[in-house]
Amino acid sequence: MKKIFSIALLLIATTSFSQHFKTYDWKENPTLHELSEEENAESSIAILKKNIVEFKQSVITNDINVYETTHNIIRVNDDIGIAKHNQVYISMRNVKKIKSIKARTISKEGKITNLDENNIKQIENVEEYGDFQIFAIEGAENGSEIEVLYTVEKEFSPFGSETLQFDYPIKRSEMVFITNNLTGNIKTYNTDQTFDRTYLEEKLVEELVLNDIPATVEEDYATSEANKVYVAYQCFGNPDLTQESLWNSTIGNIANGYFPKSIEKSAISEVENVILKDQKNDISIYTKAALLENYIKSNFTVVENRNEQLNDIEYILKNKTASEYSIVKAYAQFLEAMEIEYQIVITANRFEHKLDPEFYSPSALREFMIYLPEIKQYISPTRIDYRLSEAPSNILGNNGIFINKDVEYYFAKITQYDPNYSNIKRVMDISFSDDFDKVIIDENQEYSGHWGIQNRAVMTFFTGQDKEDFKDQLTGSGIEDKNILNFEVGNTTMNQTEYNLPYIVKSVTESSALLEEAGDSYIFQLGKVIGVQSELYQEKERVHPIEMQYPNQYNYTITVDIPKGYTLEGLESLEINKRMEVDGKLLCKWLSEYEIKQNKLVITIEESYYINEFPKEHYESFRQVINAASDFNKAAILFSVE
């Protein structure tokens, strides 16, 4: 009887683990696929990229197993394509075991070279991405096809994602999502196509088929990585979980650590005896918060360490050491002691991932900030370059979750409160040596907002040649034969307590390369004094929406001495007027004008980008505004003898 019962259990277990990957296979006798002339011109093209993700729950233990199958067929048409695909990396992150690996190469003549499994090696911690199984593809040559098929069993996680777009074109992409009656959800991003419900081997599955996915396009002023086609999925044993309950659970866990029920005595003591020592009682919330941030970033160390002690607030405050997540606990203690209202904000780097409030995905919860609603400013706990400010540029424009001390939360786009926050003001006085051999530029610059934050950090933390290269940028990049006669900077300390104090740069430079003799006249490459400017070329239709780092403005006043006995020609090149308006609203502009006052040429420039996201449909207008700066950089005027 016991024997029969054991056999029955074995049969149940065997039946319950009849996974799709066990029957899925490649063609026994492969042949090369027909490609068009255009497809054969690509260095490489994926004929098929297929992903199968299957969740299966044991009927005996209720454990959930996850199996991921990858099947790729890649045509390589030249040495670049071969180099891109002749090594296969299989990530071992969260992998319990590799169930199977197969690979082969089909040559133009039809010769098949199979993978020698003895050549599979495991390498550890590849560029901080963890361990990988790696093997080289043998027999790859121009015009051949590389086929790889493998399945891994992974540790259970109810959440995952798959990227479906890469830096080479894909003729056909397939994804199959199998939950085997477990509760599951799956969602596509950056494509209009969605998953269809269908049956596969009598199983109800979700299937997505995409044809002709173009290669990822890298464009200026775009979040190309975040714009790739990808899918996110969820699968759990609890059928009652909803998107709202997932968010509620996460927010509840966060609130426990970041909104303390009691304040440590050491935090109160440090506020009274160190942070606010000798300060007046009526100082502003901004000043209090700035002093706090300066104190933490000058005295606490953030480490990449999973030591459990780093979650203990007493240990953190005593040793002034925390992880990138637990450092927020230290801020919370001090903010509570100072009676400053705050909210926790969770989001992601918008250049990597766009947070979707309608679909819970832990991969989008990567960045923590602290928002002070009374002054509408942010603390970025792990950013050593930032102090109390607007949201960092890599966060600005993404969605975020805002959580208050009552564990109430809302989703909102992270926007810039001060429209004039980032600005560069330049005042240049330009004169010439007596023999008209050199141009002398006396310049005063003020960098506010993100510009000031960047310059402060670079000039503080850079050393050696890197610092000299940046100094070159601050004094007119791209000017040949430049000699810096004087260079001074002001408001340099990282620990600021005044709102948006500009970073000051004063310099005097000279260069003979900006002047060219033309008989008795001289050509002055005036436009080069503003430094090298970016230029947008447009050979193909714009792919990505337009995203700048942040709204910003430039205001220049350039005053040029006109030596006695000379007149000016070519001034029309200094007048440029480009604008981008959408629905009657001015979104960005370049306006450069000039006038002659007595013996001086006075040029004024205003370049403004009032928002950081622009509609793709108006790319040409945006391009013209961006290129106006490059056009001005090429401007030259002629000094002619009267």
Side-chain angles (χ1 to χ4, degrees), residues 68-128:
E68 293 186 6
T69 298
T70 299
H71 185 193
N72 297 333
I73 304 174
I74 311 289
R75 172 72 66 85
V76 291
N77 293 318
D78 57 27
D79 291 344
I80 296 174
I82 292 172
K84 182 177 291 186
H85 300 282
N86 68 353
Q87 281 195 322
V88 176
Y89 289 79
I90 301 175
S91 173
M92 298 302 291
R93 185 172 183 176
N94 299 325
V95 171
K96 294 166 68 174
K97 66 175 71 172
I98 293 182
K99 305 297 289 187
S100 63
I101 299 179
K102 297 199 294 187
R104 63 188 177 188
T105 305
I106 304 97
S107 72
K108 289 187 292 186
E109 291 75 27
K111 179 184 176 182
I112 298 174
T113 305
N114 289 300
L115 170 68
D116 181 351
E117 293 190 11
N118 293 321
N119 293 332
I120 301 174
K121 297 179 175 61
Q122 178 150 329
I123 53 178
E124 297 180 354
N125 203 22
V126 179
E127 297 181 0
E128 304 300 324

Side-chain angles (χ1 to χ4, degrees), residues 157-434:
S157 170
F159 310 104
S161 62
E162 291 286 347
T163 300
L164 303 184
Q165 188 173 23
F166 299 88
D167 60 353
Y168 49 89
I170 301 169
K171 281 179 65 67
R172 183 178 176 89
S173 174
E174 299 179 13
M175 182 165 178
V176 180
F177 182 58
I178 307 171
T179 63
N180 286 300
N181 298 320
L182 293 170
T183 302
N185 302 294
I186 193 162
K187 186 173 183 178
T188 59
Y189 291 88
N190 302 317
T191 177
D192 293 331
Q193 290 184 246
T194 58
F195 278 80
D196 292 324
R197 286 197 165 191
T198 186
Y199 281 92
L200 183 66
E201 297 177 349
E202 299 182 352
K203 292 182 180 180
L204 183 63
V205 305
E206 301 275 356
E207 185 177 39
L208 175 72
V209 177
L210 300 174
N211 292 309
D212 299 320
I213 301 176
T216 302
V217 176
E218 295 292 333
E219 294 178 319
D220 291 326
Y221 305 103
T223 57
S224 304
E225 183 66 26
N227 294 344
K228 287 182 178 179
V229 178
Y230 75 98
V231 302
Y233 57 82
Q234 307 164 341
C235 183
F236 11 78
N238 183 353
D240 297 324
L241 283 176
T242 63
Q243 302 305 316
E244 183 179 4
S245 63
L246 288 169
W247 288 119
N248 286 338
S249 176
T250 298
I251 276 99
N253 291 334
I254 290 167
N256 285 333
Y258 296 156
F259 294 99
K261 296 178 181 178
S262 61
I263 308 171
E264 297 292 321
K265 291 181 180 179
S266 60
I268 297 172
S269 175
E270 287 184 69
V271 167
E272 294 176 349
N273 300 317
V274 182
I275 301 173
L276 297 183
K277 184 181 179 181
D278 301 326
Q279 297 291 327
K280 296 179 180 179
N281 292 329
D282 61 348
I283 62 172
S284 68
I285 293 174
Y286 183 92
T287 303
K288 284 183 180 179
L291 288 167
L292 165 59
E293 186 169 19
N294 292 340
Y295 174 74
I296 290 183
K297 288 185 175 175
S298 298
N299 294 280
F300 282 67
T301 301
V302 176
V303 297
E304 293 183 7
N305 192 319
R306 296 186 179 182
N307 186 339
E308 189 60 32
Q309 287 181 304
L310 295 179
N311 289 318
D312 181 69
I313 189 60
E314 290 185 18
Y315 179 90
I316 293 169
L317 296 177
K318 179 181 178 180
N319 295 279
K320 293 183 169 52
T321 303
S323 69
E324 61 180 3
Y325 297 111
S326 64
I327 190 65
V328 182
K329 293 183 177 182
Y331 278 96
Q333 284 285 325
F334 291 120
L335 287 167
E336 290 284 1
M338 298 169 99
E339 298 182 345
I340 297 176
E341 181 185 353
Y342 67 95
Q343 298 174 0
I344 300 298
V345 184
I346 318 173
T347 184
N349 183 335
R350 66 183 166 101
F351 293 94
E352 297 175 355
H353 200 107
K354 302 295 177 70
L355 187 147
D356 179 4
E358 297 180 356
F359 196 90
Y360 179 85
S361 176
S363 61
L365 310 179
R366 300 177 179 182
E367 302 279 348
F368 281 75
M369 295 190 300
I370 299 170
Y371 178 60
L372 307 183
E374 293 174 283
I375 57 175
K376 296 180 172 58
Q377 297 291 293
Y378 292 88
I379 294 172
S380 302
T382 61
R383 291 288 296 266
I384 193 64
D385 51 340
Y386 270 80
R387 296 298 186 270
L388 189 61
S389 64
E390 299 279 358
S393 58
N394 66 320
I395 299 298
L396 188 67
N398 208 345
N399 289 315
I401 314 165
F402 291 72
I403 312 164
N404 66 22
K405 65 179 180 180
D406 296 321
V407 200
E408 298 168 335
Y409 67 92
Y410 61 94
F411 295 94
K413 193 167 189 176
I414 299 168
T415 58
Q416 184 168 291
Y417 175 68
D418 181 355
N420 302 312
Y421 184 64
S422 295
N423 187 281
I424 297 178
K425 295 180 180 179
R426 288 178 174 167
V427 177
M428 300 183 192
D429 291 319
I430 298 176
S431 58
F432 305 91
S433 58
D434 293 339

Side-chain angles (χ1 to χ4, degrees), residues 416-577:
Q416 184 168 291
Y417 175 68
D418 181 355
N420 302 312
Y421 184 64
S422 295
N423 187 281
I424 297 178
K425 295 180 180 179
R426 288 178 174 167
V427 177
M428 300 183 192
D429 291 319
I430 298 176
S431 58
F432 305 91
S433 58
D434 293 339
D435 55 2
F436 228 125
D437 181 56
K438 292 182 179 179
V439 178
I440 302 164
I441 306 168
D442 190 335
E443 183 173 13
N444 185 78
Q445 303 177 73
E446 295 184 7
Y447 294 87
S448 62
H450 296 287
W451 292 113
I453 291 167
Q454 169 190 289
N455 292 354
R456 229 174 244 116
V458 169
M459 293 298 284
T460 298
F461 299 120
F462 278 24
T463 59
Q465 190 58 48
D466 290 335
K467 191 168 186 175
E468 288 301 310
D469 291 344
F470 193 71
K471 185 176 173 181
D472 174 66
Q473 292 185 40
L474 294 175
T475 54
S477 59
I479 299 177
E480 298 178 4
D481 191 33
K482 180 176 64 179
N483 182 26
I484 301 176
L485 303 177
N486 184 57
F487 182 82
E488 300 175 23
V489 290
N491 299 334
T492 60
T493 178
M494 294 293 296
N495 291 338
Q496 297 292 325
T497 57
E498 183 178 329
Y499 174 75
N500 204 11
L501 193 67
Y503 185 84
I504 305 296
V505 179
K506 295 181 179 181
S507 63
V508 179
T509 59
E510 64 176 11
S511 171
S512 58
L514 296 175
L515 285 171
E516 180 183 345
E517 286 190 51
D520 293 332
S521 303
Y522 293 89
I523 300 172
F524 173 32
Q525 304 289 338
L526 187 152
K528 289 187 177 181
V529 302
I530 68 170
V532 175
Q533 303 293 313
S534 61
E535 187 169 9
L536 289 178
Y537 298 96
Q538 184 63 14
E539 297 178 356
K540 298 180 180 180
E541 185 179 353
R542 177 76 180 188
V543 173
H544 299 291
I546 306 162
E547 291 195 39
M548 300 192 74
Q549 285 195 313
Y550 44 81
N552 61 91
Q553 299 179 47
Y554 307 78
N555 296 96
Y556 301 166
T557 301
I558 305 171
T559 302
V560 182
D561 286 346
I562 305 174
K564 188 175 180 179
Y566 286 89
T567 59
L568 301 180
E569 298 180 28
L571 295 176
E572 64 278 1
S573 66
L574 306 177
E575 291 187 310
I576 304 175
N577 185 2

Side-chain angles (χ1 to χ4, degrees), residues 33-99:
H33 294 79
E34 291 284 337
L35 296 182
S36 67
E37 183 178 343
E38 182 180 356
E39 291 167 340
N40 274 314
E42 298 283 352
S43 292
S44 61
I45 181 170
I47 295 165
L48 173 69
K49 285 188 74 71
K50 184 165 186 171
N51 297 285
I52 304 169
V53 178
E54 183 171 7
F55 291 81
K56 187 72 174 178
Q57 187 171 36
S58 168
V59 297
I60 300 173
T61 65
N62 285 332
D63 291 340
I64 299 176
N65 296 277
V66 187
Y67 302 92
E68 293 186 6
T69 298
T70 299
H71 185 193
N72 297 333
I73 304 174
I74 311 289
R75 172 72 66 85
V76 291
N77 293 318
D78 57 27
D79 291 344
I80 296 174
I82 292 172
K84 182 177 291 186
H85 300 282
N86 68 353
Q87 281 195 322
V88 176
Y89 289 79
I90 301 175
S91 173
M92 298 302 291
R93 185 172 183 176
N94 299 325
V95 171
K96 294 166 68 174
K97 66 175 71 172
I98 293 182
K99 305 297 289 187

